[in-house]
Amino acid sequence: MDEAVQEAKLLRQVNALIVAYLRGQNLAQAASAVAAATMTPLSAADSVPDNHLLRLVAKGLATERGGGVASAFDSSGGGYGGLVPPLGSSAVDFGMQDVRGSSKSFPKHEARHVSDHKNVARCAKFSRDGKYFATGSADTSIKFFEVAKVKQTIAGDSKDGSAWPMIRTFYDHMQPINDLDFHPESPILISAAKDNTIKFFDYSKTNARKAFRVIQDTHNVRSVCFHPCGDYLLAGTDHPVAHLYDINTFTCYLSANPQDSSAPINQVRYSCTGSLYVTASKDGSLCIWDGVSAECVRPIIRAHGSAEATSAIFTKDERYVLSCGKDSSVKLWEVGTGRLVKQYAGAVRRQFRCQAVFNETEEFVLSVDEQNNEVVVWDALTAEKVARLPSGNTGAPRWLDHSPVEPVFVTCGNDRSVRFWKQTV
């Protein structure tokens, strides 16, 4: 009898989780239908966080797999901790309407030149724990940095040279690097390049300069992103459909229900739980895809008009997508409806594959202004421009990435330099 009672309680909890999730996705009608069919009071879901179901499913899948991705690479530990980063009760509520009041002030930052490539610096990426970042160049090289040593250099605490911030340089591509990503658990960095390859580098081995694994794609690989569990990765290429790879077998999968598009994909990014992913395409469109079925659940056609959509990322709560385009606009979209929520204007981007990113707290949006050679910052909630920072680059910055854990970010661009930005006290 006790077992039956416990099972009934568990079933009620599951139903409440489902109803809360549907409401969190702005699917009120579906939530009401499920509540009615399962006799679940809507009030039972009031105390459940919107994305709690996704977090539980992701953790359950990780436990079921036994965290076996590291063994697939024959590499040891060095992980980043839990599978799913906490969504946090302090996340910005972008759903607030008619925001009033003054915008937040963006803290003062100082920039420091930390390295040069031999050709245009095309991309940059922080690791998920914020301890490392890497940059990729048209000179086919990848430079790998340790954040703590960069800070020591800026502070002048490395007089003996022991804190040289660039740990090493990887050389293994034949053509320019387009994108980079860090494995969520193992000390693995992947790179995507115009030579149609995705390469895997083990940065735990101090003497490693070459890739230890290679995926040979059929197209120019423009963008790569690991699934949060680490077992899969997505590749955005000159092909209009994202390529999903199993990293243990290198088997490639394509969506059985692709959108009617022939445009290459500039960027592909997973949400923090992997339940969704987004593609930004050269035809100006965005598509939001189910992370399990690979079906498009929310097409946003001409999100940036006829101009290219160059970047797209999810907010931590997975309810919104921030996109950037060559129409000089940065836009925030609601996932559940495809509705344009906010627009961040006042920075010119028409030539390069520029990025728009949040800071670590999602209180600010950062992007670059090609015309004025500046980093532009907006209050994420009010959409008011709150700072214009001279980039210090002699050529336009074309990529920006912010640390996920602290107030530091990196810019790089046409003058071949890599600049590290740190909040000052």
Side-chain angles (χ1 to χ4, degrees):
M1 178 66 72
D2 289 343
E3 185 176 340
V5 171
Q6 292 302 319
E7 185 174 342
K9 287 182 178 179
L10 179 61
L11 186 58
R12 287 197 296 272
Q13 289 178 324
V14 170
N15 290 336
L17 286 168
I18 293 172
V19 172
Y21 170 73
L22 292 172
R23 289 200 312 192
Q25 298 298 309
N26 295 314
L27 300 173
Q29 187 173 354
S32 298
V34 171
T38 60
M39 294 183 289
T40 302
L42 287 173
S43 59
D46 289 344
S47 61
V48 180
D50 295 343
N51 281 286
H52 194 51
L53 177 61
L54 292 180
R55 289 199 295 269
L56 291 176
V57 169
K59 291 177 180 178
L61 289 173
T63 301
E64 187 177 62
R65 293 188 184 97
V69 72
S71 62
F73 291 113
D74 296 321
S75 182
S76 61
Y80 296 106
L83 170 70
V84 182
L87 298 181
S89 58
S90 61
V92 176
D93 183 7
F94 295 104
M96 293 177 61
Q97 301 297 317
D98 300 323
V99 178
R100 292 182 175 85
S102 59
S103 299
K104 295 182 177 68
S105 296
F106 187 66
K108 185 177 180 181
H109 282 63
E110 64 174 325
R112 185 67 60 91
H113 172 270
V114 292
S115 189
D116 285 301
H117 283 275
K118 295 177 181 178
N119 204 327
V120 174
R122 295 170 51 85
C123 56
K125 185 69 175 181
F126 276 91
S127 61
R128 299 192 183 198
D129 61 0
K131 292 182 179 179
Y132 306 100
F133 69 90
T135 59
S137 171
D139 66 11
T140 75
S141 73
I142 300 165
K143 290 184 180 291
F144 187 80
F145 301 84
E146 185 174 346
V147 171
K149 291 185 177 180
V150 174
K151 291 179 180 177
Q152 289 177 31
T153 301
I154 293 175
D157 295 337
S158 57
K159 295 179 181 178
D160 60 353
S162 61
W164 179 245
M166 191 184 72
I167 298 175
R168 68 181 67 94
T169 303
F170 297 110
Y171 293 98
D172 210 14
H173 281 285
M174 301 298 293
Q175 292 191 43
I177 313 294
N178 289 323
D179 199 11
L180 302 161
D181 198 21
F182 285 82
H183 192 275
E185 297 176 355
S186 300
I188 305 298
L189 173 70
I190 58 172
S191 56
K194 287 188 174 184
D195 56 15
N196 299 1
T197 65
I198 302 167
K199 300 205 172 186
F200 293 65
F201 300 90
D202 184 346
Y203 58 84
S204 68
K205 297 178 179 178
T206 57
N207 295 325
R209 296 293 185 272
K210 300 289 187 180
F212 69 94
R213 281 196 175 183
V214 179
I215 292 177
Q216 184 66 55
D217 201 275
T218 53
H219 296 76
N220 168 27
V221 187
R222 294 173 169 269
S223 181
V224 282
C225 184
F226 273 115
H227 188 279
C229 75
D231 287 342
Y232 304 94
L233 68 83
L234 279 169
T237 73
D238 280 350
H239 189 258
V241 180
H243 296 181
L244 173 65
Y245 284 98
D246 182 321
I247 67 168
N248 298 301
T249 64
F250 284 7
T251 305
C252 181
Y253 303 93
L254 299 178
S255 172
N257 299 292
Q259 286 295 291
D260 184 18
S261 173
S262 59
I265 295 172
N266 276 325
Q267 192 164 89
V268 58
R269 293 291 185 260
Y270 272 111
S271 65
C272 66
T273 64
S275 62
L276 299 167
Y277 63 91
V278 60
T279 54
S281 299
K282 285 178 72 71
D283 63 2
S285 67
L286 305 174
C287 284
I288 299 168
W289 305 76
D290 185 291
V292 176
S293 67
E295 292 189 10
C296 181
V297 294
R298 185 68 60 195
I300 306 176
I301 308 302
R302 295 178 63 83
H304 289 272
S306 59
E308 294 184 32
T310 55
S311 75
I313 56 171
F314 286 93
T315 54
K316 294 176 184 178
D317 62 8
E318 305 185 335
R319 294 177 60 190
Y320 303 93
V321 164
L322 182 75
S323 70
C324 179
K326 290 187 178 180
D327 58 348
S328 297
S329 70
V330 176
K331 299 179 179 181
L332 188 73
W333 307 87
E334 188 174 53
V335 170
T337 63
R339 177 174 62 95
L340 177 62
V341 178
K342 298 183 187 298
Q343 187 158 341
Y344 306 92
V348 177
R349 291 172 307 279
R350 301 192 184 279
Q351 184 177 358
F352 303 118
R353 194 166 49 110
C354 295
Q355 312 296 297
V357 300
F358 290 106
N359 73 325
E360 81 283 3
T361 61
E362 294 190 338
E363 295 176 287
F364 299 99
V365 172
L366 293 81
S367 190
V368 300
D369 186 318
E370 296 173 359
Q371 181 172 287
N372 296 302
N373 200 7
E374 294 175 322
V375 175
V376 183
V377 185
W378 296 266
D379 182 295
L381 194 56
T382 66
E384 180 184 351
K385 189 159 64 253
V386 294
R388 299 188 74 101
L389 311 176
S391 73
N393 299 82
T394 57
R398 58 192 299 169
W399 199 286
L400 181 153
D401 196 46
H402 199 287
S403 168
V405 299
E406 62 176 327
V408 300
F409 62 93
V410 170
T411 57
C412 58
N414 285 355
D415 67 352
R416 309 178 183 183
S417 72
V418 178
R419 299 183 70 81
F420 182 88
W421 298 72
K422 178 180 177 294
Q423 181 176 320
T424 57
V425 179

